[in-house]
């Protein structure tokens, strides 16, 4: 993950090796390289420009006589700014209601269903929750089956109504079922399309309005780079979601989505998916991700 970006950044910092101090010229040269590396990692153009502008200002501003070498100073500033770019602090999910309700949104293939299973498992094991998974995809019977298989693997029951064509009602019924049977967490997996369409957006918006979830999460494939960011923007306009789940970070992703999404939609990344297995999920920690990027 991000290997290319890490290498490129490391190379940019080399420009400052052996320099006695930071100057307008060597900073400009370094940051030209940094910006190119970010753009090649598919970071949004404006995000990359603002990033290097901020780093430049800080580097020149902190250019007092210190014991810190220019290259070390630059690495530290880039680290801090990468952390900020990805949201600064770790963003937690907030589950207030009983049962608490989490709604999943995103395109088909983004990893929604897999993440629903992963999250149910994680919250059951780590937070002692009693989850109920809900299959709200009324278009693909295979989607219900897939969630059931995942449910079995993580030992969490799945609520579904195979005959129903009304996802809003299924979600509401599932919450009633959870109340009646003492589940304290309801995770609603919804239908996704291959591309954004009006009907799908209306449907998920209607589900959200009806069930008023504690958390609406937007799940997106990190491998899709700038498309991930554009899709996030469109979903956010309709759903005003609480957080992003970036999946497939184990793949050959260049990093653009992870670095741009926070700034573009102003919503935090809360979780990352790092594999197909059900334990391949982590909370997203911006500072740790910056550590990894800078190697
Ligand atoms: P959905 O259509 O949004 O529900 O997506 P699925 O959960 O069915 O996932 C689509 C495909 O991506 C499946 O083959 C999953 O195994 C795979 N997948 C999901 N999350 C990850 C991940 O974090 N890493 C990898 N490598 N594959 C993933």
């Amino acid at each position: 993950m991000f290997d290319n970006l890490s290498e490129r950044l490391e190379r940019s910092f080399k420009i400052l090796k052996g320099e006695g101090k930071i100057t307008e010229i060597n900073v400009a040269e370094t940051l030209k390289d940094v910006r190119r590396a970010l753009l090649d990692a598919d970071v949004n153009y404006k995000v990359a420009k603002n990033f290097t502008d901020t780093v430049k200002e800080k580097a020149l501003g902190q250019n007092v006589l210190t014991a810190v070498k220019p290259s070390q100073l630059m690495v530290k500033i880039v680290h801090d700014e990468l952390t900020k770019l990805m949201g600064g602090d770790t963003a937690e999910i907030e589950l207030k209601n009983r049962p608490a309700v989490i709604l999943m949104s995103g395109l088909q293939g983004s990893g929604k269903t897999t993440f629903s299973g992963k999250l149910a498992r994680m919250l059951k094991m780590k937070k002692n929750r009693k989850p109920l998974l809900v299959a709200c995809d009324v278009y693909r019977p295979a989607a219900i089956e897939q969630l059931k298989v995942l449910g079995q693997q993580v030992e969490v029951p799945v609520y579904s109504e195979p005959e129903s064509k009304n996802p809003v009602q299924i979600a509401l019924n599932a919450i009633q079922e959870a109340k009646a049977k003492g589940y304290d967490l309801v995770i609603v997996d919804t239908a996704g399309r291959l591309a954004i369409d009006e009907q799908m957006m209306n449907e998920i918006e209607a589900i959200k309005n009806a069930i008023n979830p504690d958390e609406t999460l937007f799940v997106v494939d990190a491998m899709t780079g700038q498309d991930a960011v554009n899709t996030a923007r469109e979903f956010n306009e309709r759903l005003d979601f609480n957080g992003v789940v970036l999946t497939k970070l184990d793949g050959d992703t260049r990093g653009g989505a992870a670095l741009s999404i926070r700034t573009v939609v102003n919503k935090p990344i809360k979780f990352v998916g790092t594999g197909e297995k059900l334990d391949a999920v982590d909370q997203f920690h911006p500072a740790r991700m910056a550590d990894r990027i800078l190697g």
Side-chain angles (χ1 to χ4, degrees), residues 107-115 118 140 146 189 247-250 273-276 280:
L107 297 180
Q108 191 174 313
S110 59
K112 255 185 295 78
T113 305
T114 308
F115 179 70
K118 287 176 175 178
R140 293 186 310 135
Q146 187 193 352
D189 186 22
T247 63
K248 311 190 193 180
L249 271 193
D250 51 308
T274 54
E276 293 190 66

Side-chain angles (χ1 to χ4, degrees), residues 24-45:
E24 285 267 358
I25 292 169
N26 61 25
V27 161
E29 208 183 324
T30 309
L31 292 179
K32 201 164 92 187
D33 255 30
V34 168
R35 189 184 308 180
R36 263 197 230 122
L38 292 173
L39 293 176
D40 287 345
D42 211 13
V43 171
N44 173 286
Y45 178 80

Side-chain angles (χ1 to χ4, degrees), residues 45-58:
Y45 178 80
K46 267 199 207 145
V47 172
K49 177 161 186 344
N50 287 342
F51 182 84
T52 46
D53 286 352
T54 309
V55 172
K56 180 177 172 192
E57 203 178 295
K58 298 236 153 123

Side-chain angles (χ1 to χ4, degrees), residues 164-235:
S164 171
K165 292 283 168 238
N166 184 343
V168 172
Q169 197 58 49
I170 298 172
L172 288 170
N173 292 348
I175 293 169
Q176 285 312 316
E177 169 104 345
K179 279 185 187 152
K181 296 199 172 154
Y183 295 101
D184 62 9
L185 174 65
V186 177
I187 299 176
V188 182
D189 186 22
T190 58
R193 304 290 156 75
L194 291 173
I196 293 176
D197 69 49
E198 196 53 25
Q199 192 197 345
M200 167 194 164
M201 284 301 194
N202 288 339
E203 180 182 297
I204 184 121
E205 205 176 359
I207 297 175
K208 184 182 177 206
N209 291 337
I211 65 176
N212 192 20
D214 294 75
E215 285 272 334
T216 302
L217 297 177
F218 168 69
V219 182
V220 68
D221 178 343
M223 308 272 283
T224 59
Q226 283 300 294
D227 279 346
V229 177
N230 295 332
T231 313
R233 194 191 276 129
E234 294 194 45
F235 270 82

